[in-house]
Structure formats: structure tokens, C-alpha cells
Amino acid sequence: MIKPSRRSRGSITVQDVAREAGVSAMTVSRVVNGGTNVREATREAVLAAIAKLNYSPNSAARSLAAGEATQIGLLYSNPSAAYLSQFLIGALAAARRAGCHLVLEACEGERPEEQAEATRGFVQTHVQGVILPPPLSEVGAVRDELDAAGIPWVSVAMGLPPEGSLNVRIDDFAAAAAMTSHLIDMGHRRIGFIRGNPNQTSSAERYRGFCAAIEEAGLDLAAMPVEQGYFTFRSGIVACEALLDLPERPTAIFASNDDMAAAAVGVAHRRGLHVPQDLSVVGFDDTSLATTMWPELTTVRQPIAAMAEAALSMLLDELRPRGQNAQAEQVLAHQLIVRESCAPPPRR
Amino acid sequence: MIKPSRRSRGSITVQDVAREAGVSAMTVSRVVNGGTNVREATREAVLAAIAKLNYSPNSAARSLAAGEATQIGLLYSNPSAAYLSQFLIGALAAARRAGCHLVLEACEGERPEEQAEATRGFVQTHVQGVILPPPLSEVGAVRDELDAAGIPWVSVAMGLPPEGSLNVRIDDFAAAAAMTSHLIDMGHRRIGFIRGNPNQTSSAERYRGFCAAIEEAGLDLAAMPVEQGYFTFRSGIVACEALLDLPERPTAIFASNDDMAAAAVGVAHRRGLHVPQDLSVVGFDDTSLATTMWPELTTVRQPIAAMAEAALSMLLDELRPRGQNAQAEQVLAHQLIVRESCAPPPRR
DNA sequence: CGGGCCAGCGTTACCGCTAACAAATCGCAC
DNA sequence: GTGCGATTTGTTAGCGGTAACGCTGGCCCG
């Protein structure tokens, strides 16, 4: 007497689908993945059976059988929370599709030794690849450690990634230039710029974009006041104070990220300047801060979730033994988001 | 002739550990999980072998063999990004430990029909349980849909969870009372309160805590101006304007979350009031906003990541067939975070 | 001193899926 | 028709781990 398998989970498996469609389990598997070398009629029968039974493949079994990568590391330091949450949403979506797990690790310290230490945590836990969102994508200690362990990595949102490395980014240069042109088109002729942290290449790229747009418009770059910031709210306060202390005040401020832009708006308000009537302020990144302030911020949106997804796919392609990977670099489209924080300069 | 298995992945398996320790694979498995009925000497030998080989179990194989839950849903609407990122960090850590995948689904709309629709997405994709962070934990349409499908859920951070439901939370009442007492201890006698969205029970609990502390201090509750807010930055502006328009202005404002507190600080600044010298402002949640503003916000910290972890563990316990689950409710500890946004009231 | 019980460990048989190989089928030129 | 390569489909053998059950030997009790 055959007793029903005591361990059956009652869920729909390939076998069930195969029986329903009158084919073998292997054929079902082929249809579900890629589906090479399956006759059209057969595929349709299988798809119909899948739909009928509401089958969804068991990802644990799949990655076990296929021997795929199952643990991908994500090393984060302290980007803005808004950035991180978007990033995680994208990465999680891609991870689930691929059936792999995301292993998070915080990298708190600033010192190379601490960073290397956090990285070694990954090596211990057998992650097969690592995603490096900013600003860690720029940290040599981390990359060296991963290279030494032979673990592939993808950098995300670097301004100027090293040749041949896996990376996903936007065109910081073009985005900053577009934003600058937007201000110029509005009539601003004296635009203050707050630079980002010099240890990140995107800072330089954004500044280059700013300069290029100024010069292209035939304006005098030397007349544009520039302050150094470090991407933090606090540094934005200092930089903005300096800009507004100038005898000839800028009519607009372009901060290299939203946090610093928010700081600039705060400083302006405390000085009794109205934004945007007296001073226009624009940022970069379109984090949630941009809409939880008043006035809401004109800024550049990065497709953060899409970038995370792209990074993970790229990494998995790299890890897949079969064939060579198509591309090692992806530049996604950015978008200029116009809100209420900028307006034509005040008439004088 | 035995050729080495062509599909071997070269990684360390239970078999390797078993051989090294001179026991069977099953014993290794027992040691790794729980480890009931294993002699101490044997356990040590196995642990030594594990350490020596640097073995780490394959979570795909584990969940396949054990037939464990592999997909846990996380339905989020739009809590603050800071909240979400912390929440995801905690949930991911727990998910990895348990070897299950997190399935995110955004629930955009406000209308019950849209919310139910988003929930049905989960039912389709065979998630075995769902975590409901605020404010979705309070949405009847979502919970009904899950109940109808027989999918267990855990609510997180509800103020007053329904009897018998799985939930993880902090004591909103006590936390709000503590914050209020802190203000009273500083010398404030006229404290304005901005309520949270009435569709969330935590709003009511926080308000109850505020009232209790006021009365316990022997102050006149009727003298405290209260405004309705909705947890949004925008609603905080309106509420704070109303409070500051009062003939007898409060010396402190207790906003039911950080976004509204940030709004209050902004309004005060635009009116030329200095925070905290002229007006103290405190918030609730300790999201990242609390430190990306100036002055930094005194607020209540929720252990968000820990709450997410607890929620996931609770859900998995519920799903595990063996035995009954210990607890259906967990109240984690909150913490009063004192920063720069409050000070004794101005002398008059 | 025999037998029942249980802690401790091994054996077997899978979980659900897919790589690799084998077999069947097809198309087509001669 | 026949032969042969290309395409489509089926078969087998695991991937790494664990549930269920079986076996062993020591302990206790009658």
C-alpha cells in the first residue's frame, strides 16, 4: 500500500504542472526559465497548465538544484535614510526574482581599517558578490579587500568609475549641467554652488557639469561663488552662511545634494529671506527630504531603485559561469524635478 | 571508476563536516539546529569541525528539506523613508537568519479597494505570512483580505492592538508621558500638543500619555492647546501656525512625530522665534530627520529594526507547525533622546 | 536477570528543481 | 525511401539538508 508521502507540502510543483500539461517536468522547467528549444504549441500548453494551477516555482529548490549564487552582500555606510530605503526596495525586488538573499552589513567607521574589517565580515559569511552603494563605492580599502578575497563587486552611483569595473550610475555631469541651465534659463546670473564631499567622484562630476553649463551660456565662471560642502546638513549650513555673507549675494544656490539644499533653505529663512522669491535653492538626488520641507525642492532625481536592481542583475550575470557578460557599465536616465524652491531672480 | 560528481560546487557541506568530526550528517544537522539529544562531547567535536572547515549551512537546501516558509510579505505604504529603511534593515537580518525571502509590496492608495487590491497581490504570490508596519497595521481592508485568505499577519507599532492579534510595539502611552514629564521638569507649564492622524491608534495613545502626565503633575489640562495633525510635514505647519497664533503662546510644542516637529521648527524660525530659547519643540520616532535639522530634535526613539526582527520571528513561530507559540504580543523598550531642541522656558 | 524505556546516533528517503545525458522526432537533401 | 544532423523531449541523478524512523546500548525496575 502506497501511503501519501508524509512530507508532502501540498503545494503545486513542476510535477503537477507536467502532468496537467501532459509533458515531463523538465519541459516545464524549460518553459519557466528562458524556454529555449521548446515548440510553441508545447510552451502554450505548459503556460496554460501553470495558469490553471496557479503554479509558482519554489525558489529554494531552484537555487539548490541550479547551484546559483544565494548570498549577495550589500555594504552600506550612512547614506541618507531615504536613499537607503529606495535602494533596498530595488535590491530586494531583484533579489527575490533571482532567488538570492541579500546580506546587509553596516560599515560605520571612517577609518580604512574599520572599513576593511566590515568587509571581511562578508568574506567570512560566504557572500558571492557585493553591491557597493555610495559612498562606499569609492572606498579603496573596501574594494581592495574584496579583490583580495576574489569576490566580485558592483559600484553604484560613482561619478567616474574606474575603467573596466562593474558599475551602475547616472550621468552626474549632464544632470548638473541641466540643472544649471534651468537656473540660467530662469534668469539667474549669479549662482552659488555648494560642492559635495571631495572624496566622492560624483562631487567633481557635478561641479564639472555646473562649470560647463555656466561657460556654455557665456557667463563668467569666476563670478560664481563656490563653497565646499560635505554632503551633510551641517556642512550645508556653513557653506550657505558663507554664500549669503558675500557682499554681492547670489540669487540662486545649487547644492550638490538635497540635505545641503535643505540646510540652505533653513539658513535663508532664519535670515528673513523668502524662498524662492528672494533666493532660489536647488538640490540633487530627490530624496524624501525634498518633499518634507517647505517649499518643496527642485532637484535631480536618480532612479535609485532601478539602479539597485541593475546592480544586482549585473552582479549575477558576472557570477553566472555561462558565457561572457554583455556589459560592465550601465548609465541610467536621470530626471529634472521642478518644484517650488526656485523662481526667477528678484527684480532689482 | 568513480568520477568526482560533475555538479559539485566545491563548497563545504554537512557531509564534509560529518567526515571531519567522525559522525553522521544527521548529527551535524542536529548540532547546528537546536541540538537536542546530542552528547556534549559529540557536540564539541562537531563544532570544532565546523569551525575548522568554516562551514556555513546552505539556506536554500535547508528550507527545501525542512519545508519551511520561504516567502514573507511586507506591505508598506508611505511611512517616512527613514522608518522604512530601518525597518527593512531589521527585517532583512531576521529573514536571512531564517532563510526566508522578503517580498515587498507597495500599497499606494488610500481607498480600501486599492489597499485590498495590493493585498491580493500577496495572496497570488503565495506568501505565507505578512508583516504590516504602520500605518497599514491599522487598515481594516488589508487585514480582512489576509484573514479571508488565511494568511497570518503581524502588526507593528500599533498603539492599541486588537486582543489576540500578533503584534510588536512600544508603549506609546508611557513614552508620550515620559516626554511630557521631561518638558514639565524643565519648567514648561503651557505645552502645545499636535496630535497624530486619528486613523492610527498610536495617535490616541500618545495623546493619552500626554494628558496623563499633565494631570499627574497637577497642571490644568484644559489650559494646554491641542491641534489636530496628520503626521505629515504639511499638517504640522498648519497646526503649529495655529498654536503660535494663540494670544497666550505655549512655551513648548510636543508634536506626535518628527515630521510635524520639524515643521514646527520651520514655522517658528520664519516667525523669528529661536528654538529652543523662545520655544521648545519635541517630536516622536527619532527618524533621521531628527538629526538632519537644526537644532537637532529631542524625541522618542523606537527600536525600529528590532521591532521588525521581532515581528518576523513571531510570524515564523506562528507558521511553524510544532507546538504552540509562546507569545502573541511583544512590547519593546523605547528611549527618550534628549537633543538641542528643548530648553527651559524663557523668563518672563 | 529479563524486558521496557529512552538518550544518542545512523539510515533512508525524500524536499522541488535542474544539469547532463539519452532518446525520440523532425526536416531535408540525395 | 534513406541517412544524417538539428531540434525537441524524456530520463537519471543528484544539489545540501532534514523528517521520520531504526538501531544500539545503558539504566532501572520488577
Side-chain angles (χ1 to χ4, degrees):
Chain A
M1 161 185 156
I2 301 168
K3 62 176 167 185
S5 168
R6 53 188 148 83
R7 296 171 66 190
S8 142
R9 242 82 99 203
S11 56
I12 310 290
T13 75
V14 262
Q15 303 296 343
D16 300 320
V17 176
R19 205 172 313 122
E20 176 74 26
V23 298
S24 76
M26 195 59 223
T27 301
V28 175
S29 172
R30 274 190 273 257
V31 170
V32 171
N33 321 307
T36 48
N37 292 352
V38 178
R39 213 174 345 183
E40 195 51 34
T42 313
R43 172 202 313 285
E44 273 163 24
V46 170
L47 289 176
I50 288 177
K52 178 173 176 195
L53 298 179
N54 188 20
Y55 164 74
S56 81
N58 178 322
S59 73
R62 178 185 287 190
S63 40
L64 177 59
E68 280 169 357
T70 58
Q71 315 257 68
I72 296 295
L74 175 47
L75 191 65
Y76 65 96
S77 67
N78 54 345
S80 79
Y83 192 93
L84 185 59
S85 66
Q86 281 305 302
F87 201 90
L88 286 178
I89 289 171
L92 266 168
R96 193 173 66 89
R97 270 202 304 277
C100 67
H101 290 260
L102 230 43
V103 181
L104 296 194
E105 178 102 24
C107 176
E108 296 297 350
E110 286 285 325
R111 303 206 325 277
E113 190 40 50
E114 292 171 294
Q115 296 169 326
E117 181 57 34
T119 313
R120 273 191 290 272
F122 272 151
V123 181
Q124 296 293 320
T125 55
H126 308 283
V127 301
Q128 283 111 341
V130 172
I131 300 180
L132 298 175
L136 288 170
S137 31
E138 316 253 359
V139 175
V142 170
R143 303 194 315 214
D144 292 346
E145 196 74 33
L146 291 173
D147 285 340
I151 298 176
W153 47 268
V154 195
S155 68
V156 178
M158 282 188 77
L160 210 59
E163 197 71 27
S165 71
L166 297 180
N167 71 84
V168 177
R169 61 192 182 93
I170 61 163
D171 189 339
D172 284 286
F173 175 87
M179 178 61 89
T180 308
S181 299
H182 176 68
L183 290 173
I184 295 172
D185 289 348
M186 273 195 162
H188 294 279
R189 290 295 172 268
R190 194 165 166 73
I191 304 172
F193 189 84
I194 305 180
R195 304 183 63 154
N197 195 319
N199 70 11
Q200 291 175 239
T201 52
S202 56
S203 301
E205 285 299 291
R206 290 175 193 179
Y207 181 59
R208 281 212 312 123
F210 171 74
C211 296
I214 293 291
E215 293 191 323
E216 203 203 354
L219 300 179
D220 179 14
L221 186 55
M224 304 298 161
V226 176
E227 284 293 326
Q228 181 68 54
Y230 300 90
F231 282 142
T232 64
F233 187 85
R234 197 59 65 120
S235 73
I237 294 180
V238 175
C240 183
E241 299 274 10
L243 289 175
L244 297 184
D245 279 341
L246 255 33
E248 202 173 343
R249 227 173 42 206
T251 59
I253 292 182
F254 182 179
S256 291
N257 77 346
D258 287 350
D259 279 32
M260 299 195 295
V265 170
V267 168
H269 279 158
R270 276 200 296 285
R271 293 192 173 208
L273 292 174
H274 291 276
V275 177
Q277 296 86 340
D278 303 325
L279 180 73
S280 288
V281 175
V282 300
F284 202 108
D285 283 348
D286 196 31
T287 60
S288 66
L289 190 57
T291 48
T292 54
M293 51 184 282
W294 189 90
E296 296 191 349
L297 200 62
T298 290
T299 185
V300 172
R301 175 175 298 165
Q302 299 196 44
I304 302 176
M307 290 169 81
E309 292 198 46
L312 188 49
S313 310
M314 191 180 280
L315 201 48
L316 291 173
D317 278 352
E318 175 78 15
L319 288 167
R320 225 176 297 277
R322 47 174 154 238
Q324 282 317 304
N325 347 291
Q327 43 186 350
E329 169 158 332
Q330 267 191 59
V331 179
L332 303 192
H334 58 264
Q335 195 184 352
L336 195 65
I337 305 290
V338 177
R339 296 207 184 85
E340 306 152 8
S341 70
C342 69
R347 291 204 198 79
R348 21 169 283 106
Chain B
M1 161 186 157
I2 302 166
K3 60 177 170 184
S5 166
R6 52 192 149 79
R7 294 170 67 190
S8 140
R9 244 83 98 201
S11 56
I12 310 290
T13 75
V14 261
Q15 303 296 343
D16 300 319
V17 176
R19 206 173 312 121
E20 176 73 26
V23 298
S24 77
M26 197 57 225
T27 301
V28 174
S29 172
R30 273 190 272 258
V31 170
V32 171
N33 320 307
T36 50
N37 294 353
V38 178
R39 211 171 349 182
E40 194 53 33
T42 313
R43 173 203 310 285
E44 275 163 23
V46 171
L47 288 176
I50 288 176
K52 177 172 174 195
L53 299 178
N54 187 20
Y55 164 75
S56 81
N58 179 321
S59 73
R62 180 184 288 191
S63 41
L64 175 58
E68 281 169 357
T70 58
Q71 315 256 70
I72 296 296
L74 174 47
L75 190 66
Y76 65 97
S77 68
N78 52 345
S80 79
Y83 192 93
L84 185 58
S85 67
Q86 281 305 302
F87 200 90
L88 287 178
I89 288 172
L92 266 169
R96 192 173 66 89
R97 270 203 303 277
C100 69
H101 290 261
L102 229 45
V103 181
L104 297 195
E105 178 102 23
C107 177
E108 299 296 350
E110 287 285 325
R111 301 208 327 276
E113 191 38 51
E114 292 171 295
Q115 296 169 326
E117 181 56 34
T119 314
R120 273 191 289 275
F122 272 151
V123 181
Q124 295 294 319
T125 56
H126 307 284
V127 301
Q128 284 110 342
V130 172
I131 300 180
L132 297 176
L136 288 170
S137 30
E138 316 253 359
V139 175
V142 170
R143 302 195 314 215
D144 291 347
E145 196 73 35
L146 291 173
D147 285 339
I151 298 176
W153 47 270
V154 194
S155 67
V156 179
M158 281 188 77
L160 209 60
E163 198 70 26
S165 71
L166 296 180
N167 69 84
V168 176
R169 59 189 183 95
I170 61 165
D171 188 339
D172 284 285
F173 175 86
M179 177 62 90
T180 307
S181 299
H182 175 68
L183 290 173
I184 295 172
D185 289 347
M186 272 194 161
H188 292 280
R189 290 294 171 268
R190 195 166 165 76
I191 304 172
F193 189 85
I194 305 180
R195 304 183 63 153
N197 196 320
N199 70 12
Q200 292 176 237
T201 51
S202 56
S203 301
E205 285 299 293
R206 291 176 194 179
Y207 181 59
R208 278 211 315 122
F210 170 75
C211 295
I214 293 290
E215 294 192 323
E216 203 203 356
L219 300 179
D220 179 14
L221 186 55
M224 305 297 162
V226 175
E227 284 292 327
Q228 183 67 54
Y230 300 90
F231 283 141
T232 64
F233 186 85
R234 197 59 66 122
S235 73
I237 293 180
V238 176
C240 182
E241 299 274 10
L243 289 176
L244 296 184
D245 277 341
L246 256 34
E248 202 174 343
R249 225 173 44 206
T251 60
I253 291 181
F254 182 0
S256 289
N257 77 347
D258 288 349
D259 278 34
M260 296 194 296
V265 170
V267 168
H269 279 158
R270 275 200 296 284
R271 293 191 173 210
L273 292 174
H274 291 277
V275 176
Q277 295 88 340
D278 303 324
L279 180 72
S280 289
V281 176
V282 300
F284 203 108
D285 284 349
D286 196 32
T287 60
S288 67
L289 190 56
T291 48
T292 53
M293 51 183 284
W294 189 90
E296 295 192 348
L297 200 61
T298 290
T299 185
V300 172
R301 175 175 298 164
Q302 298 197 46
I304 302 174
M307 290 168 80
E309 291 198 46
L312 187 49
S313 310
M314 190 180 281
L315 201 48
L316 292 174
D317 278 352
E318 174 77 14
L319 289 168
R320 225 176 299 278
R322 48 174 153 240
Q324 282 317 305
N325 346 290
Q327 42 185 350
E329 168 156 332
Q330 266 190 59
V331 180
L332 303 192
H334 59 263
Q335 196 184 350
L336 194 67
I337 304 289
V338 176
R339 297 208 184 85
E340 307 153 8
S341 71
C342 69
R347 290 204 197 79
R348 24 168 281 110

